[in-house]
Amino acid sequence: MKTRLALKQFALALLLLTVFSCEDTTIIKNYTGTGEEKTYSIEGYAQKGPFIVGSNVTVSELNEELYPTGRVFFATILDSKGHFELPGIVLTSPYIQIKVEGSYFSEVIGGVPTPGNLTLYSLADINDTQSINVNILTHLEKERVEYLVQNEAKTFSDAKEQALEELLTVFNFEGYSVNASEDLSILSDSEGNAVLLAVSSIIEGVNDYERRLALITNFQNDFQDGALDAVDIQNTLLTSAFNLVPLMIIENINSKFLGITVPDFEPVLDHFIDNSEFTNYFSEIFVRTEDGSINLLKDNTMATLDLTKEYVLFINPPQGVDVGIGISFDAHQYADEGNFDIASSSWTESNVQASCSYEGDPHCLVHHAYRLYISGTDLGPIEIPISLITGKGYIGFALDLGIDGFYTPEISFGKTISWQE
């Protein structure tokens, strides 16, 4: 009798062991949280532009003071839009940090930067939402949120709200309707998403890879007190915004992601350019204190010269930043039908040649060729007056101007201008 009872007990124990052993994974995945632990399914989009397929995603659990608890989960980017998923992760705290590492599609250049690896972060409370995006705004606000929680005893919700408001103020975007930063995406149309795309493009407009990484890191560190105080970062942001070509950015996104509506970010970008108190290095370089002469480098739409007016080539480079200037200037006129003089000690090279069919031919074509190549950090103003314009002829000239690593199609140009009495 005892033997039969013992056999039944052994069989029951074996059955229970088998059930719990086989169902162990399912029990954890479907755990609903009868104690402190809860199961969450997290998903979202990682974008600078969107991170490429295979980029690494790391989710770390944080305590209420936003310090790591040690629980870490891993995933990868699943599609070209930067989508990731982490189903059925068990946490004791609702606060998480999402870290994304990898390369990404650049909305400014229309491809993947080389090199282009980048790390972005996002902080979130998954009691509020389990759909959490990672983008440049979530990244730039991160250290400010941590500071407010850890040093000023702010709640996570209040810290997030305050940090976003302060971040928008940096760009003069206080009047725009912007949801929580982790809700935003550059691949969906809304006012908040337009703000995100504007900021993302401004950052991406810093063409040099190492400088872009340094800008992002230094911005994040500087912004820890809720303000952006570094003048070099301020001026870089505004200069980058001025040099962007919104139409090209829209075309790049539309070509890569068919069927999406690109946020209308150009008015947002213009608002920053028009209202910022930062310095745009390109804004005052063609402005002369003297009145009267027309600066040919300022008006690149001019097609003819009015010989009753005076003309000049004038550039006043900004100080303290790298500047590169290249001017190519060629004037042509017949010796018996006009005259032209733009001689100056400022030119790096100058040459005047006459082409005649025979010696003493009054109908010689005279070619004035001038070249200026100069670079430096503290260049003085360049002023070259154009004088003795008579008869008829034409000018072909080009300006190539780079300031602090930026080049703008609105200023660098080539064109032809004619004149005739």
Side-chain angles (χ1 to χ4, degrees), residues 305 307-308 337-339 388-393 418-421:
L305 297 181
L307 300 190
T308 65
E337 295 183 353
N339 194 16
L388 298 177
I389 307 174
T390 61
K392 67 179 180 179
S418 63
W419 81 86
Q420 183 172 356
E421 286 182 322

Side-chain angles (χ1 to χ4, degrees), residues 71-87:
R71 291 194 181 194
V72 181
F73 307 87
F74 303 94
T76 58
I77 298 301
L78 301 174
D79 64 24
S80 63
K81 294 182 179 180
H83 187 247
F84 62 89
E85 296 178 352
L86 289 95

Side-chain angles (χ1 to χ4, degrees), residues 405-417:
F406 293 98
Y407 294 84
T408 172
E410 295 183 16
I411 290 178
S412 295
F413 63 90
K415 69 181 288 82
T416 299
I417 303 176

Side-chain angles (χ1 to χ4, degrees), residues 333-338 354-358 360-366 392:
Q333 107 278 331
Y334 287 109
D336 63 341
E337 295 183 353
S355 301
C356 302
S357 57
Y358 61 89
D361 181 2
H363 203 58
C364 291
L365 179 65
V366 181
K392 67 179 180 179

Side-chain angles (χ1 to χ4, degrees), residues 31-100:
Y31 184 64
T32 57
T34 56
E36 293 185 355
E37 291 185 331
K38 291 185 179 180
T39 299
Y40 302 89
S41 292
I42 299 170
E43 62 89 27
Y45 291 87
Q47 301 172 344
K48 169 45 212 67
F51 279 75
I52 66 173
V53 173
S55 297
N56 296 319
V57 180
T58 304
V59 175
S60 302
E61 182 184 61
L62 308 175
N63 63 21
E64 63 181 7
E65 294 182 338
L66 303 185
Y67 293 111
T69 67
R71 291 194 181 194
V72 181
F73 307 87
F74 303 94
T76 58
I77 298 301
L78 301 174
D79 64 24
S80 63
K81 294 182 179 180
H83 187 247
F84 62 89
E85 296 178 352
L86 289 95
I89 64 173
V90 180
L91 302 172
T92 60
S93 170
Y95 305 114
I96 62 168
Q97 170 188 277
I98 302 179
K99 173 185 177 183
V100 183

Side-chain angles (χ1 to χ4, degrees), residues 92-331:
T92 60
S93 170
Y95 305 114
I96 62 168
Q97 170 188 277
I98 302 179
K99 173 185 177 183
V100 183
E101 300 173 278
S103 196
Y104 60 94
F105 175 83
S106 168
E107 66 275 16
V108 173
I109 69 171
V112 177
T114 305
N117 280 356
L118 180 67
T119 300
L120 294 183
Y121 290 89
S122 182
L123 301 177
D125 180 348
I126 51 180
N127 279 337
D128 295 334
T129 178
Q130 294 180 41
S131 178
I132 303 162
N133 295 338
V134 183
N135 53 58
I136 195 64
L137 292 182
T138 66
H139 182 82
L140 294 178
E141 73 179 14
K142 173 182 178 289
E143 292 197 11
R144 177 57 174 165
V145 173
E146 292 173 340
Y147 181 88
L148 291 171
V149 170
Q150 295 166 1
N151 295 277
E152 297 188 9
K154 297 280 187 178
T155 66
F156 181 80
S157 177
D158 289 345
K160 283 277 291 180
E161 183 177 349
Q162 179 175 335
L164 180 58
E165 288 177 355
E166 293 167 338
L167 183 56
L168 295 177
T169 300
V170 170
F171 295 91
N172 299 93
F173 292 157
E174 304 96 316
Y176 289 90
S177 176
V178 183
N179 295 332
S181 56
E182 64 271 19
D183 294 339
L184 303 176
S185 168
I186 68 170
L187 301 182
S188 179
D189 188 25
S190 74
E191 190 168 273
N193 291 336
V195 167
L196 172 62
L197 182 54
V199 176
S200 181
S201 299
I202 290 168
I203 298 295
E204 191 65 19
V206 180
N207 298 316
D208 182 77
Y209 169 69
E210 292 185 3
R211 186 181 178 195
R212 187 186 317 127
L213 294 186
L215 175 74
I216 293 171
T217 299
N218 294 337
F219 187 125
Q220 189 186 54
N221 292 336
D222 189 315
F223 184 66
Q224 192 177 67
D225 64 354
L228 183 67
D229 302 310
V231 174
D232 60 331
I233 299 177
Q234 295 174 352
N235 298 344
T236 297
L237 293 173
L238 184 57
T239 304
S240 175
F242 178 78
N243 284 275
L244 293 174
V245 183
L247 181 59
M248 185 177 297
I249 293 172
I250 293 170
E251 291 177 350
N252 290 338
I253 296 175
N254 280 330
S255 297
K256 177 68 174 179
F257 307 100
L258 302 178
I260 67 104
T261 301
V262 180
D264 185 17
F265 77 104
E266 186 171 3
V268 181
L269 189 68
D270 290 341
H271 180 85
F272 172 54
I273 294 171
D274 295 339
N275 293 279
S276 177
E277 295 182 357
F278 305 157
T279 298
N280 171 9
Y281 292 130
F282 289 86
S283 61
E284 302 294 332
I285 57 174
F286 299 130
V287 177
R288 301 175 71 240
T289 56
E290 297 85 0
D291 295 327
S293 298
I294 298 172
N295 186 6
L296 290 183
L297 299 181
K298 182 178 181 181
D299 185 357
N300 63 3
T301 64
M302 187 182 301
T304 59
L305 297 181
D306 181 348
L307 300 190
T308 65
K309 298 180 179 179
E310 297 181 353
Y311 295 93
V312 68
L313 303 179
F314 178 82
I315 299 178
N316 186 19
Q319 302 298 294
V321 292
D322 290 331
V323 177
I325 301 171
I327 300 176
S328 174
F329 198 99
D330 295 88

